[in-house]
C-alpha cells in the first residue's frame, strides 16, 4: 500500500505524458486526477495508522548505489513527519488536479500539463519519504525541474520563459550549498543514511574544519550549508526573488508548487535534520534571523503590490519565514503545524484567485477589479475564509498555528526569541492589512474594469469550486482538530523519534496580555483596512504625497532585483560579451575553422587565376612543375 502512494503519480505522469495524444484530453485528466486521488486516500490511511498505532516503517524498494562504503537505497521511510507531508502533498495535489480540469479547459496542451503535475507529485513524494540524503536530493532536484517545466508551461510567453529560467538559476545557488552539505556529511560520517548520520552527531560536536581559510565547527558548517539549500527552495530573503516571478505559470501551479508543497521542502529539511540542528546554536540563530527577516520584508512588499497572485506569493514568503523562525527557536513541531494548516488556506487563496482571474478573463491587477462580490458569491465567501485563516482570525486554522509560533518564540527567553516574537506580531498585523486590501479591492467598491463588462464576469464551474470548498474545510478546522496532536503536551508525543529535541520545549504560558495582543491586532485591522482601501478613495494619492520614497521602495521590492542585476547580471553579460567577441570570434573561430577556411578560400582564388584557358600558359606551368619535380629528384 505504501509503495502505491509513490508509484501511482509516476504511472499517471507516464500515461498522460507519453500517451496523452492517443487517449485524449479528457481521459488524461481523469486518469491523473484519479490516480493522485487514490494516492491521497492511501496517505490519509497511513496518517491514521501513525496517529492511532504509532505506525513506523522503512520499506526498501531497491538498491540504488553500492560502491565502497556508500550504500544508498530507494526506500520509503514512514514516520509521523513523513506521514504529515504525505497528506499535505497528495491531498493538495489531488485537488489541484481536479481544479485544473476546469481552469485549463481552453488550453490545447492539457495532457502535458497534467503529466507535469503528476511528475511533480512523484518527485515531492520521493523527497519526503527518503531515508537518506541522496534520495532526498533526487526528489529535491526533481521538484525543481518540474517547477521549471510548470512555470514556463506557456512557453510562447516570453515572461514565462524568463521566470522559469530565473527560478531554475536562483535555486541552483541554494542547491550548490545543499550539495556541499551532503558531501561534507559523507566526508565526516562515511554514510548518507539518516539513522547512521544522526547517531554519530554527538561524536563530532567539538570537531573543527578549515573552510575557505577559516576554522569552523563541523556541525555549524553542515547546518549552514543545508540551510542555504532550504533558503533557495523555500524562497527566503536573498534567495527569494524567483518566487514572485514564478506567478507567470498557470494558477494551479502556484497553488501546488508555490504555496503548499515545493516551497515547504526547505522547512521539511530543517525539521528532518533536527538531530543535527539541535547541536548548533549558531545555525538555529541564523535560521531565526533569516526567518523573521523574510516574514517582515515579504509582508511589507505585499502591502503595495497590485497583481493578485503576487500578493499571495509574497504572503507565502512571509508565512515560510514564520515556519523557519519557529524551527530556529527549536519548536520544530510548531513549524510543521503551521506548514500543515498553511497548505490548506494558502492553496485555497491561490485557487480562489484563479477563480477570480478566470472570471475576469486573465486580468490579474486588483486595481481593475472591484464590485463583483454578488457576481462571484461562492468565490467571495471561500476567499474570505482563506483570508481569515491566513490572518490568524480567532478559532480558524491560522490562529492556532501562527499564534503558537509567536508564543514559543517568546518562551525561548533569549534576545533572538523576543525579537522574533515582536517581528511576528507586527508581521501578523501587516498580513491582515494586505490580505483585507486584496479582498476589498477585488470584490468591493466600484467596478473598475473598462475592457470587460461586469455582466460578462461569472462564477467558476463546479469542478473548480468543489476543490475550494474542500480546502476551506481544512482552513477552518485543521488548526482546532490537530493542535493537541502537533503541539507536544505532557505524556503525549505524536512525533516520537521523527523530531529530536535536545531540550524539552517550555510548558509555561506567556502573559495573558501577550496571548490576546495578536488576535486584537488582527481584528482591528479589518475596520482599518476597510477605511484605508475602500472608504478613503484618495489613500493611494495621500501615500504618494506624504511618503513617496517609502512607497517606491516597497513597490520596487526593496530593489533586490535591481541590486542583483547590478552585481551579477550586468557584469556577467559584459564578461560573456567580451569572451564571445574576443576569445570565441577572434581567437577560436579566427585561428580555427573560420581562419582555416578563409586561408583555403584565398588560396583557391589565387589558384583559380591559373585557369586562363590559354594552352601556352598551361604548357608553361606544366614545364615549371616538371622542372621542380626533376630538381627535387636530383637533389634527393
Amino acid at each position: 500500500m505504501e509503495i502505491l502512494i509513490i508509484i501511482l503519480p509516476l504511472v499517471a505522469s507516464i500515461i498522460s505524458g507519453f500517451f496523452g495524444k492517443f487517449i485524449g484530453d479528457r481521459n488524461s485528466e481523469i486518469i491523473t486526477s484519479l490516480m493522485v486521488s487514490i494516492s491521497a486516500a492511501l496517505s490519509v490511511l497511513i496518517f491514521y495508522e501513525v496517529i492511532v498505532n504509532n505506525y513506523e516503517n522503512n520499506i526498501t524498494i531497491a538498491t540504488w548505489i553500492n560502491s565502497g562504503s556508500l550504500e544508498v537505497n530507494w526506500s520509503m521511510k514512514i514516520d509521523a513527519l513523513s506521514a504529515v507531508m504525505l497528506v499535505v502533498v497528495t491531498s493538495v495535489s489531488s485537488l489541484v488536479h481536479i481544479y485544473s480540469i476546469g481552469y485549463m479547459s481552453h488550453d490545447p496542451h492539457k495532457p502535458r500539463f497534467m503529466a507535469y503535475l503528476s511528475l511533480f507529485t512523484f518527485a515531492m513524494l520521493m523527497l519526503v519519504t527518503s531515508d537518506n540524503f541522496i534520495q532526498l536530493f533526487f526528489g529535491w532536484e526533481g521538484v525543481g525541474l518540474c517547477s521549471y517545466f510548470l512555470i514556463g508551461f506557456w512557453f510562447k510567453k516570453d515572461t514565462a520563459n524568463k521566470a522559469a529560467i530565473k527560478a531554475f538559476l536562483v535555486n541552483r545557488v541554494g542547491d550548490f550549498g545543499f550539495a556541499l552539505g551532503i558531501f561534507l556529511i559523507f566526508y565526516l560520517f562515511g554514510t548518507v543514511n539518516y539513522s547512521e548520520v544522526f547517531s554519530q552527531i554527538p561524536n563530532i560536536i567539538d570537531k573543527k574544519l578549515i573552510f575557505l581559510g577559516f576554522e569552523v565547527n563541523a556541525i555549524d558548517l553542515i547546518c549552514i550549508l543545508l540551510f542555504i539549500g532550504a533558503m533557495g527552495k523555500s524562497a527566503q530573503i536573498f534567495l527569494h526573488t524567483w518566487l514572485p516571478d514564478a506567478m507567470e505559470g498557470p494558477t494551479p501551479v502556484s497553488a501546488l508548487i508555490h504555496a503548499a508543497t515545493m516551497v515547504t521542502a526547505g522547512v521539511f529539511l530543517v525539521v528532518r535534520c533536527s538531530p543535527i540542528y539541535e547541536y548548533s546554536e549558531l545555525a538555529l540563530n541564523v535560521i531565526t534571523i533569516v526567518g523573521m527577516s523574510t516574514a517582515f520584508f515579504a509582508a511589507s512588499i505585499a502591502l503595495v503590490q497590485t497583481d493578485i497572485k503576487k500578493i499571495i506569493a509574497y504572503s507565502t514568503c512571509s508565512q515560510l519565514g514564520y515556519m523557519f523562525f519557529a524551527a530556529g527557536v527549536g519548536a520544530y513541531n510548531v513549524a510543521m503545524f503551521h506548514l500543515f494548516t498553511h497548505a490548506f488556506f494558502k492553496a485555497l487563496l491561490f485557487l480562489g484567485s484563479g477563480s477570480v482571474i478566470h472570471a475576469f478573463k486573465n486580468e490579474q491587477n486588483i486595481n481593475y477589479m472591484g464590485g463583483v462580490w454578488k457576481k462571484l458569491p461562492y468565490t467571495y465567501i471561500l476567499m474570505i475564509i482563506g483570508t481569515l485563516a491566513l490572518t490568524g482570525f480567532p478559532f480558524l486554522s491560522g490562529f492556532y498555528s501562527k499564534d503558537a509560533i509567536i508564543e514559543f518564540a517568546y518562551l525561548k527567553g533569549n534576545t533572538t526569541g523576543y525579537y522574533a516574537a515582536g517581528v511576528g506580531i507586527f508581521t501578523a498585523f501587516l498580513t491582515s492589512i494586505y490580505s483585507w486590501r486584496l479582498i476589498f479591492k477585488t470584490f468591493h467598491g466600484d467596478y473598475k474594469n473598462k475592457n470587460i463588462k461586469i455582466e460578462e464576469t461569472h462564477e467558476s464551474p463546479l469542478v473548480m469550486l468543489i476543490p475550494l470548498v474542500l480546502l476551506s474545510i481544512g482552513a477552518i478546522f485543521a488548526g482546532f482538530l490537530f493542535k493537541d496532536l502537533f503541539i507536544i503536551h505532557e505524556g503525549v508525543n505524536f512525533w516520537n523519534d521523527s523530531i529530536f529535541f535536545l531540550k524539552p520545549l517550555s510548558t509555561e504560558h506567556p502573559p495573558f496580555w501577550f496571548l490576546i495582543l495578536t488576535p486584537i491586532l488582527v481584528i482591528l485591522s479589518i475596520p482599518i483596512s476597510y477605511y484605508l482601501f475602500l472608504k478613503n478613495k484618495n489613500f493611494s494619492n495621500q501615500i504618494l504625497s506624504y511618503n513617496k520614497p517609502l512607497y517606491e521602495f516597497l513597490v520596487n521590492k526593496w530593489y533586490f532585483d535591481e541590486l542583483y542585476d547590478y552585481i551579477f547580471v550586468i557584469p556577467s553579460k559584459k564578461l560573456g560579451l567580451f569572451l564571445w567577441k574576443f576569445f570565441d570570434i577572434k581567437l577560436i573561430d579566427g585561428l580555427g575553422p573560420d581562419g582555416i577556411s578563409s586561408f583555403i578560400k584565398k588560396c583557391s582564388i589565387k589558384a583559380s587565376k591559373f585557369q586562363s584557358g590559354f594552352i601556352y600558359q598551361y604548357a608553361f606551368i606544366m614545364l615549371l612543375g616538371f622542372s621542380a619535380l626533376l630538381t627535387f629528384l636530383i637533389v634527393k
Side-chain angles (χ1 to χ4, degrees):
M1 179 175 74
E2 290 90 340
I3 296 176
L4 280 176
I5 295 174
I6 292 178
I7 295 299
L8 287 174
L10 177 61
V11 172
S13 176
I14 292 171
I15 292 173
S16 183
F18 289 101
F19 306 103
K21 63 169 63 177
F22 303 108
I23 63 176
D25 293 354
R26 181 60 69 194
N27 287 330
S28 295
E29 293 168 340
I30 292 172
I31 289 171
T32 52
S33 300
L34 180 62
M35 287 192 170
V36 176
S37 297
I38 294 172
S39 184
L42 295 175
S43 297
V44 172
L45 288 176
I46 294 294
F47 187 51
Y48 176 79
E49 284 294 315
V50 171
I51 294 173
V52 175
N53 301 319
N54 291 322
Y55 174 69
E56 290 187 359
N57 203 352
N58 197 334
I59 303 166
T60 300
I61 300 172
T63 299
W64 184 11
I65 302 171
N66 192 344
S67 177
S69 62
L70 180 62
E71 295 183 4
V72 179
N73 294 322
W74 291 110
S75 57
M76 191 170 181
K77 181 179 178 66
I78 302 295
D79 59 9
L81 184 58
S82 60
V84 170
M85 292 302 296
L86 284 175
V87 169
V88 169
V89 173
T90 56
S91 59
V92 173
S93 179
S94 61
L95 293 176
V96 168
H97 273 75
I98 296 168
Y99 178 91
S100 299
I101 295 173
Y103 190 87
M104 303 295 288
S105 59
H106 301 297
D107 194 276
H109 306 292
K110 289 186 278 292
R112 179 165 63 90
F113 182 76
M114 303 303 284
Y116 288 163
L117 288 182
S118 297
L119 183 63
F120 167 82
T121 306
F122 162 73
M124 192 69 197
L125 292 173
M126 292 297 292
L127 188 159
V128 301
T129 58
S130 62
D131 74 341
N132 62 79
F133 285 98
I134 301 298
Q135 184 181 326
L136 174 71
F137 192 72
F138 167 81
W140 193 273
E141 293 302 304
V143 294
L145 177 66
C146 293
S147 175
Y148 172 78
F149 289 154
L150 287 164
I151 294 169
F153 178 76
W154 288 321
F155 55 86
K156 294 182 180 180
K157 189 178 175 184
D158 189 49
T159 52
N161 285 323
K162 289 180 178 178
I165 292 170
K166 185 177 183 179
F168 200 76
L169 289 177
V170 173
N171 272 276
R172 294 291 70 72
V173 176
D175 293 352
F176 180 68
F178 186 29
L180 288 179
I182 296 174
F183 296 155
L184 182 58
I185 286 171
F186 182 70
Y187 170 75
L188 290 172
F189 304 111
T191 180
V192 290
N193 295 317
Y194 293 154
S195 57
E196 296 172 13
V197 171
F198 296 160
S199 65
Q200 296 181 57
I201 291 296
N203 301 330
I204 65 158
I205 294 175
D206 299 321
K207 186 175 180 61
K208 304 291 183 181
L209 294 172
I210 302 299
F211 182 73
L212 300 178
F214 297 96
E215 186 181 69
V216 294
N217 190 297
I219 293 288
D220 292 339
L221 184 57
I222 290 172
C223 291
I224 294 297
L225 289 173
L226 293 179
F227 180 59
I228 290 172
M231 285 177 65
K233 198 64 74 185
S234 294
Q236 294 300 283
I237 192 168
F238 303 121
L239 294 178
H240 68 281
T241 53
W242 66 271
L243 183 59
D245 289 2
M247 297 303 106
E248 290 292 338
T251 301
V253 174
S254 304
L256 178 61
I257 295 182
H258 309 122
T261 53
M262 189 187 87
V263 290
T264 62
V267 180
F268 169 79
L269 171 65
V270 172
V271 176
R272 175 60 83 191
C273 294
S274 57
I276 308 177
Y277 280 97
E278 278 293 270
Y279 289 98
S280 176
E281 192 67 30
L282 172 65
L284 289 177
N285 285 330
V286 169
I287 292 172
T288 306
I289 292 168
V290 170
M292 68 181 183
S293 301
T294 304
F296 169 72
F297 110 92
S300 68
I301 295 173
L303 287 170
V304 296
Q305 294 299 303
T306 56
D307 186 309
I308 188 170
K309 285 172 65 178
K310 285 191 176 182
I311 295 171
I312 304 174
Y314 277 110
S315 173
T316 301
C317 273
S318 184
Q319 298 305 307
L320 288 165
Y322 273 102
M323 297 175 208
F324 275 111
F325 82 67
V329 298
Y332 306 101
N333 56 322
V334 182
M336 289 303 300
F337 184 30
H338 194 52
L339 184 155
F340 183 76
T341 60
H342 175 264
F344 293 106
F345 60 72
K346 190 53 63 67
L348 172 60
L349 284 171
F350 262 119
L351 295 183
S353 70
S355 183
V356 173
I357 294 166
H358 185 73
F360 278 92
K361 299 181 180 178
N362 297 321
E363 177 59 67
Q364 295 184 196
N365 192 325
I366 60 174
N367 288 330
Y368 299 136
M369 298 178 184
V372 292
W373 69 274
K374 290 183 180 179
K375 294 288 291 182
L376 313 175
Y378 302 115
T379 299
Y380 172 65
I381 292 170
L382 293 166
M383 285 200 72
I384 288 285
I385 292 171
T387 298
L388 290 170
L390 168 63
T391 57
F393 194 83
F395 309 116
L396 272 76
S397 59
F399 167 73
Y400 294 100
S401 57
K402 188 189 293 185
D403 280 26
I405 291 174
I406 297 170
E407 289 167 22
F408 275 99
Y410 178 85
L411 291 173
K412 183 69 175 177
N414 59 12
T415 304
T416 308
Y418 289 137
Y419 272 118
V423 170
I425 291 170
F426 184 61
T427 302
F429 177 69
L430 295 183
T431 301
S432 195
I433 293 290
Y434 71 68
S435 297
W436 287 108
R437 170 179 175 262
L438 185 152
I439 292 294
F440 290 137
K441 280 187 165 289
T442 302
F443 294 101
H444 291 276
D446 299 326
Y447 184 76
K448 307 177 189 70
N449 197 306
K450 296 180 180 178
N451 298 321
I452 307 164
K453 294 180 180 179
I454 192 169
E455 291 78 15
E456 296 178 22
T457 59
H458 56 85
E459 187 60 272
S460 298
L462 276 178
V463 73
M464 292 173 65
L465 290 176
I466 289 173
L468 291 176
V469 172
L470 296 175
L471 287 169
S472 68
I473 294 171
I476 295 170
F477 298 110
F480 174 75
L481 293 176
F482 293 98
K483 60 182 174 63
D484 293 331
L485 187 71
F486 281 62
I487 300 176
I488 298 168
H489 295 281
E490 190 173 350
V492 179
N493 185 2
F494 160 73
W495 301 103
N496 292 324
D497 297 328
S498 63
I499 296 178
F500 175 75
F501 297 97
L502 190 61
K503 298 177 183 178
L505 291 175
S506 174
T507 55
E508 298 179 6
H509 292 284
F512 179 72
W513 65 266
F514 185 83
L515 292 174
I516 64 171
L517 180 58
T518 306
I520 288 174
L521 289 175
V522 166
I523 294 170
L524 286 176
S525 68
I526 300 175
I528 292 172
S529 301
Y530 174 79
Y531 173 75
L532 294 179
F533 305 116
L534 196 59
K535 198 75 173 174
N536 185 359
K537 296 182 180 180
N538 294 320
F539 179 67
S540 298
N541 296 328
Q542 290 170 355
I543 287 291
L544 284 173
S545 62
Y546 291 138
N547 209 332
K548 187 176 180 180
L550 176 60
Y551 179 79
E552 292 291 335
F553 180 69
L554 297 179
V555 165
N556 288 286
K557 301 162 288 188
W558 288 33
Y559 293 102
F560 269 105
D561 284 309
E562 289 78 4
L563 179 65
Y564 289 167
D565 270 349
Y566 183 76
I567 296 175
F568 300 113
V569 178
I570 295 174
S572 297
K573 285 183 177 179
K574 288 182 178 179
L575 178 63
L577 198 62
F578 169 74
L579 293 174
W580 171 53
K581 287 189 174 180
F582 182 74
F583 283 96
D584 199 27
I585 294 178
K586 290 187 177 180
L587 290 182
I588 298 174
D589 287 345
L591 299 178
D594 287 351
I596 293 171
S597 61
S598 178
F599 175 74
I600 293 174
K601 183 179 179 180
K602 289 178 182 178
C603 291
S604 301
I605 292 171
K606 294 289 185 183
S608 68
K609 292 181 179 179
F610 289 108
Q611 306 296 321
S612 64
F614 297 109
I615 294 177
Y616 67 87
Q617 286 186 352
Y618 293 162
F620 178 69
I621 291 170
M622 291 171 65
L623 182 61
L624 286 177
F626 178 73
S627 300
L629 178 62
L630 190 63
T631 303
F632 174 75
L633 292 174
I634 292 172
V635 171
K636 188 176 179 182

